[in-house]
Amino acid sequence: MVAIDLGLSVMWGSCNIGAKDIYEEGNLYTWKEIVAKVDNLTAIFAPIVIPNSMTCDLAERMFGSGWQVPTKEHIIELMQNCEFEPIWLGTKFIMKATGPNGNSIYLPLAGNRDWNGAKAKGGFYWTSTKAIEDDSCAYQLRIYDQIILGYNDVDVCQSVRPVYSAK
């Protein structure tokens, strides 16, 4: 994974988690698979040391310190400050996001898969932020006929694009 500087508050991963190249879709994950598995109360009162793999999200577990699943605020910043352009890359239809500094990332439209195996068309990218509208949902970047901040049930499988911050 390479961190791409788009001129935003965080750098964006060059590809989806599970992909080896910018045009590959990568893996689809439920929201429960991407967030830390230990809540703050458990971490404070646990009688034993909690393994790091239980207190960090999927991006940090896979790529190390500084990497994370983007927050709702990171997605909003991407949407508000980047130009989005649908393009064909090889044989795939992909959304190109170009930042204020002219650098770009490519967001494959991998769809999503619900608990019954039904698949939706478009691009769906998890955030690490739980939705306030419905406590069984989390926020997502949704790319289809428009690009919006939406939310979906935490048991739906979707793409993850990590972000990097050296802070």
Side-chain angles (χ1 to χ4, degrees):
M1 183 68 60
V2 175
I4 307 294
D5 181 4
L6 298 174
L8 304 175
S9 66
V10 293
M11 291 189 269
W12 284 79
S14 55
C15 58
N16 292 349
I17 293 182
K20 292 181 174 55
D21 210 333
I22 61 172
Y23 57 85
E24 290 181 5
E25 295 175 350
N27 299 330
L28 301 179
Y29 299 92
T30 66
W31 187 79
K32 295 173 184 177
E33 293 174 293
I34 68 166
V35 295
K37 292 178 177 45
V38 177
D39 63 34
N40 289 336
L41 262 176
T42 304
I44 291 169
F45 295 107
I48 58 171
V49 175
I50 299 169
N52 189 45
S53 65
M54 296 291 284
T55 59
C56 61
D57 68 26
L58 177 66
E60 186 177 0
R61 286 193 302 270
M62 293 190 73
F63 305 114
S65 181
W67 287 98
Q68 69 179 80
V69 175
T71 64
K72 171 186 171 187
E73 291 73 25
H74 294 143
I75 294 293
I76 291 169
E77 180 186 36
L78 182 78
M79 291 170 49
Q80 291 178 344
N81 295 288
C82 291
E83 293 292 325
F84 289 85
E85 173 188 8
I87 62 166
W88 284 98
L89 191 59
T91 60
K92 303 210 183 252
F93 186 64
I94 294 177
M95 188 62 67
K96 179 181 178 182
T98 302
N101 66 4
N103 292 337
S104 300
I105 58 171
Y106 299 89
L107 300 165
L109 308 183
N112 68 16
R113 189 177 62 249
D114 72 13
W115 46 92
N116 292 321
K119 215 170 170 194
K121 291 183 180 181
F124 302 88
Y125 287 84
W126 281 125
T127 74
S128 60
T129 310
K130 194 94 171 186
I132 59 171
E133 295 85 353
D134 184 336
D135 67 358
S136 67
C137 294
Y139 290 110
Q140 65 181 355
L141 171 64
R142 186 182 308 159
I143 305 168
Y144 190 63
D145 55 348
Q146 56 184 317
I147 298 165
I148 63 169
L149 176 73
Y151 58 92
N152 209 342
D153 188 284
V154 296
D155 290 320
V156 172
C157 296
Q158 301 185 153
S159 299
V160 179
R161 176 61 60 100
V163 295
Y164 179 81
S165 176
K167 295 180 194 178

